Amino acid sequence: MTKTAAFEAGVSAALANEALQHALADVPAGFVAGRARQKAALPEFEGLRRTARDIRDHTLAHLDAYLEEFERNAVSAGSTVHWAATADEAREVVLSICRAAGARTIAKSKSMVSEEIALNAALEAQAMEVVETDLGEYLIQLRGERPSHIIAPAIHLRAGDVADEFRLRHDHLDASRDLATPEVMVAEARSVLREKFLAADVGITGANFLVAETGSAIIVTNEGNADLTMSLPKVHIVLTTIDKLVPTLADAWPLLRLLARSATGQAFTAYTTIVTGPRRPEDDAGPQSCHVILLDNGRSELLQSEFRPILRCIRCGACMNHCPVYCAIGGHAYDSVYPGPIGAVLTPALAGVGEAGHLAQASTFCGRCEEVCPVEIPLVSMLRGWREQAFAASDDWRSRTFLRAWVQLAKRPRAYGLAARIAAAILSALAGAKGILRRLPFGERWTRQRDFPAPQGTTFQDLWKRRERDEGPAP
Amino acid sequence: MSRNRILSAVRGALDPSHAPARRSAASARIASAPKHPRPNIAKLEGDERIARFAECLAALGVDRIEVQAADEVPAAIATYLSARGLPLRLRRGEDNILASLPWHHASDLVVDIGPAQADDAVGLSRALAGAAETGTLALASGPGNPVTLSFLPDTHVVVLCEQAIVASYEDAIARVLAENGGVVPRTINLVTGASRTGDIGGKIVMGAHGPRRLAVILIRDGAQRT
Ligand code: SF4
């Protein structure tokens, strides 16, 4: 099966999956409403987006300098900085730190980068136990799934699914216990995971931002799991990528003011932690060592491409919450680490057009994603860019011939007008009195899911002409 | 080496001949950090600021107990804990201000000292600042206020002097650094409400991993002691 065919099969399966459709009906909508409330409560919201975009652009335009500054300051705060050009290298670095620490249990706080490098499998292959501590990540780890959303990884599950899973997996507990509400389930997960936290030898977190000025990582969670992860085990690993930098702490606040508001619709996340190195000599708690892993994995290449703005991304997830395609098919159908509009732009950049160029089809180009993106990434034109590249690389002679013919026609207004009039006449004749086509000649794939409204009356060009005649030329 | 490979790839992408100019632009920005525009909610003063802080705490479900003077804190904590049926036992760090409180005023309250233990029910910390814009508490890790006290116990009680309530995150961090002798502590914890999750069926549940309950004891005339 080609990548495109596999994707289409995934989409059909997602649309037919009632449980998934049910789950998708509520949560993204809740995020959308929350963001709208926050935006309404903050008159400066749009101005902040401009500031945020400029901060990210400035950082990317000086990235080499800020990376060196970050390294210098992180090292002087006592951290060890590791550089990894590829996913393989990053996994190797994590493995060697864990081996050196004699790690048996590893607590992990949510990290999309660890998904990107498929870290858990690599650690498990070395007989180390990895425990995801973000509740959503824990759920999908139990189920052997991928996150279906970058900030709400288990958004595709309903409470009942979770209860079934807990009964199956937490088999040391009474099988007939009450798991009727999210409250009891959260309490159960909390006590299971608390044991793991206390046993863990190594804690792995991601980073929302890295601060060049201080050599710090900034990590936000609502659960507080990142804080336990970075404070209880004797080793803390920050697994992150080179694009996460900001120059100074002062540059972080405008981004943080937008992050939670755009993501979950909170004004601020419950826990925002600025962590700088391992425990200090006077400290009686905290890890003895802190390692920061800076992964490139294709990002330096993006920096010199037309796709550079995608590196501004602060992973808020607003683009997917507002995407009609994401909200219809969920995250798993994308079959990529990052779903939604950000995934459709980033994945081909990281994995190659051949691997993921088809994801750019997962858009209606409605533009809501870029309307809400807190760092104003032009997601739509980037998707268009990938479609162009995928088209140039494709050997689908049918669509190539069709589009070439279309281009020729579109360049000749008279011929186009004539063809449009003929097509409209045929279609409305076929549709009959109801004006609805149940099957479209050559367009069965479209009408398989819905009816096609037949053109009514005259063509757009004719309408336009008439309007110019009646009202004078358009301004 | 990967370091050089990555840095030269980045440099190559950005035009290598301008690397020195980029370096000086970066150090200039770090030497004098930019003043970005702040929203109005992050610029409030006086009573408006204090009121915003209180409103945000209320909206977050944080309990707020006001006392007129630091001396009243131990008794206020004891009253709070017993009103909620919580054990009259807490753990705190070596923080000077917390240590100087008259703990004997609350004689049935047991006070342990040091980083949190797995079975501690109540943790007590002092916040170095409160940011009014979102009702955020700023804490610094260290023996004074071990960070584990903020996350392991089920209930977290935070003492805050009213004069430490500032308008914005920027101001809160400046205060944390000033109180910490200009040194960046291992962690600066910005705490906005208690631990929560929406990961099971989208419903918000408190106490995911950290405390289920957060209480702020606000000392109105904190000026005397700091
Ligand atoms: S692309 Fe924009 S909206 Fe989407 S996750 Fe990134 S920052 Fe958020």
Side-chain angles (χ1 to χ4, degrees):
Chain A
M1 202 165 16
T2 64
K3 292 273 166 191
T4 311
F7 175 57
E8 286 173 2
V11 168
S12 305
L15 291 172
N17 181 340
E18 245 176 76
L20 173 69
Q21 291 302 322
H22 207 87
L24 285 173
D26 309 336
V27 190
F31 287 158
V32 167
R35 177 189 177 277
R37 265 196 309 275
Q38 292 295 344
K39 182 173 183 289
L42 195 71
E44 299 89 345
F45 196 94
E46 289 302 309
L48 263 176
R49 290 175 69 211
R50 230 87 336 119
T51 307
R53 177 201 62 197
D54 292 347
I55 291 169
R56 297 295 292 138
D57 277 347
H58 167 88
T59 315
L60 293 171
H62 299 78
L63 192 59
D64 52 344
Y66 287 124
L67 282 166
E68 286 178 313
E69 284 281 355
F70 172 80
E71 182 186 40
R72 185 171 328 120
N73 295 318
V75 167
S76 68
S79 296
T80 310
V81 176
H82 307 261
W83 302 74
T86 61
D88 283 342
E89 284 181 24
R91 276 196 305 267
E92 214 22 74
V93 176
V94 177
L95 281 174
S96 65
I97 296 169
C98 291
R99 270 191 223 112
R104 277 196 263 173
T105 304
I106 298 163
K108 256 183 79 202
S109 172
K110 191 174 151 34
S111 151
M112 289 306 295
V113 177
S114 78
E115 302 284 342
E116 192 178 318
I117 68 169
L119 180 62
N120 289 7
L123 291 168
E124 280 157 5
Q126 303 293 313
M128 297 182 214
E129 186 196 14
V130 194
V131 186
E132 293 288 351
T133 62
D134 171 84
L135 207 48
E137 286 284 341
Y138 176 66
L139 297 177
I140 59 168
Q141 187 186 28
L142 289 180
R143 294 168 59 97
E145 291 176 333
R146 259 188 186 171
S148 65
H149 189 287
I150 61 172
I151 66 156
I155 202 168
H156 56 289
L157 299 178
R158 292 173 304 166
D161 303 327
V162 179
D164 295 345
E165 201 63 34
F166 278 8
R167 234 180 268 287
L168 193 68
R169 296 313 184 105
H170 297 161
D171 50 10
H172 60 292
L173 300 171
D174 177 8
S176 63
R177 68 193 182 281
D178 166 41
L179 286 174
T181 63
E183 284 80 359
V184 258
M185 289 188 264
V186 170
E188 177 168 318
R190 174 188 170 105
S191 67
V192 169
L193 289 170
R194 185 57 72 88
E195 294 302 313
K196 302 291 183 191
F197 270 127
L198 295 169
D201 314 289
V202 174
I204 301 178
T205 67
N208 295 84
F209 301 105
L210 298 172
V211 185
E213 176 189 23
T214 52
S216 316
I218 301 182
I219 303 168
V220 309
T221 71
N222 272 312
E223 300 181 0
N225 58 314
D227 295 280
L228 291 172
T229 304
M230 73 173 90
S231 290
L232 294 177
K234 58 181 191 283
V235 177
H236 177 204
I237 300 175
V238 180
L239 173 62
T240 186
T241 52
I242 56 171
D243 51 326
K244 292 285 165 67
L245 276 162
V246 291
T248 66
L249 271 177
D251 291 302
W253 307 120
L255 297 166
L256 285 166
R257 285 190 180 107
L258 287 170
L259 179 57
R261 288 185 168 95
S262 303
T264 52
Q266 291 167 282
F268 214 49
T269 314
Y271 300 112
T272 299
T273 303
I274 305 169
V275 55
T276 315
R279 73 158 71 180
R280 305 292 157 77
E282 68 278 13
D283 282 352
D284 41 18
Q288 282 140 18
S289 61
C290 176
H291 299 265
V292 182
I293 302 172
L294 297 172
L295 171 68
D296 179 343
N297 207 23
R299 288 164 175 81
S300 57
E301 247 170 82
L302 276 181
L303 203 56
Q304 59 183 330
S305 73
E306 61 183 297
F307 297 103
R308 184 197 287 190
I310 200 66
L311 295 175
R312 287 181 205 150
C313 175
I314 60 173
R315 303 286 189 270
C316 69
C319 55
M320 56 198 76
N321 298 337
H322 291 78
C323 175
V325 176
Y326 175 91
C327 288
I329 65 175
H332 285 156
Y334 291 78
D335 192 25
S336 72
V337 171
Y338 303 95
I342 172 65
V345 176
L346 191 60
T347 314
L350 300 180
V353 184
E355 276 297 302
H358 62 279
L359 291 182
Q361 301 298 330
S363 171
T364 64
F365 283 0
C366 71
R368 277 183 93 197
C369 52
E370 56 177 66
E371 249 168 58
V372 298
C373 174
V375 284
E376 302 195 321
I377 298 172
L379 289 154
V380 172
S381 46
M382 300 202 157
L383 286 167
R384 196 174 289 120
W386 284 124
R387 278 197 195 177
E388 275 161 16
Q389 291 200 18
F391 180 70
S394 112
D395 47 12
D396 177 355
W397 62 270
R398 283 224 249 155
S399 56
R400 299 179 78 84
T401 316
F402 173 78
L403 283 168
R404 261 200 218 104
W406 181 269
V407 168
Q408 291 310 319
L409 192 61
K411 281 188 191 154
R412 294 170 177 76
R414 277 165 183 280
Y416 184 93
L418 183 65
R421 257 187 307 256
I422 295 173
I426 295 178
L427 287 174
S428 66
L430 282 176
K434 280 209 201 114
I436 293 285
L437 282 156
R438 315 253 347 236
R439 278 189 54 219
L440 195 62
F442 307 111
E444 285 92 354
R445 285 186 37 174
W446 204 87
T447 42
R448 213 180 288 149
Q449 313 276 356
R450 48 226 184 288
D451 292 341
F452 184 84
Q456 307 273 319
T458 167
T459 68
F460 175 78
Q461 281 183 329
D462 290 338
L463 272 178
W464 190 256
K465 260 194 218 131
R466 193 183 312 152
R467 198 173 115 169
E468 288 207 316
R469 205 178 46 228
D470 295 349
E471 302 173 14
Chain B
M1 215 176 93
S2 302
R3 178 184 188 277
N4 294 341
R5 245 169 80 204
I6 296 171
L7 279 174
S8 59
V10 171
R11 212 163 279 143
L14 295 175
D15 182 354
S17 65
H18 288 141
R22 284 198 295 276
R23 208 168 288 148
S24 44
S27 18
R29 184 148 172 149
I30 289 176
S32 140
K35 290 205 173 14
H36 294 298
R38 295 179 202 177
N40 270 330
I41 51 165
K43 290 196 277 206
L44 301 176
E45 308 214 10
D47 288 349
E48 261 190 312
R49 183 195 288 176
I50 307 290
R52 164 113 198 151
F53 186 74
E55 278 159 29
C56 289
L57 290 188
L60 290 161
V62 178
D63 296 318
R64 185 172 56 97
I65 299 109
E66 280 191 15
V67 297
Q68 294 308 317
D71 288 356
E72 298 165 29
V73 170
I77 293 175
T79 310
Y80 173 78
L81 295 178
S82 48
R84 274 166 185 69
L86 295 167
L88 283 175
R89 178 169 196 150
L90 59 77
R91 193 182 296 274
R92 65 170 173 87
E94 294 158 13
D95 183 86
N96 284 340
I97 291 185
L98 295 183
S100 71
L101 299 175
W103 291 104
H104 58 276
H105 286 189
S107 49
D108 28 353
L109 185 64
V110 183
V111 180
D112 304 306
I113 295 177
Q117 304 299 305
D119 47 3
D120 286 343
V122 182
L124 174 70
S125 317
R126 183 171 69 93
L128 302 184
E133 57 176 305
T134 45
T136 299
L137 302 161
L139 295 94
S141 68
N145 292 285
V147 64
T148 45
L149 291 173
S150 305
F151 294 98
L152 280 177
D154 249 21
T155 300
H156 189 209
V157 181
V158 178
V159 169
L160 176 70
C161 303
E162 194 182 79
Q163 53 148 34
I165 298 176
V166 294
S168 64
Y169 310 129
E170 285 90 339
D171 297 340
I173 294 300
R175 234 191 121 88
V176 169
L177 294 181
E179 279 226 31
N180 219 47
V183 182
V184 182
R186 181 178 80 88
T187 65
I188 297 176
N189 296 89
L190 299 175
V191 174
T192 311
S195 163
R196 64 193 60 210
T197 183
D199 277 343
I200 299 187
K203 179 168 186 226
I204 302 299
V205 177
M206 303 307 290
H209 285 292
R212 291 167 218 267
R213 200 179 290 104
L214 177 64
V216 173
I217 315 271
L218 200 60
I219 307 175
R220 306 239 28 192
D221 77 347
Q224 290 171 0
R225 288 196 175 260
T226 41

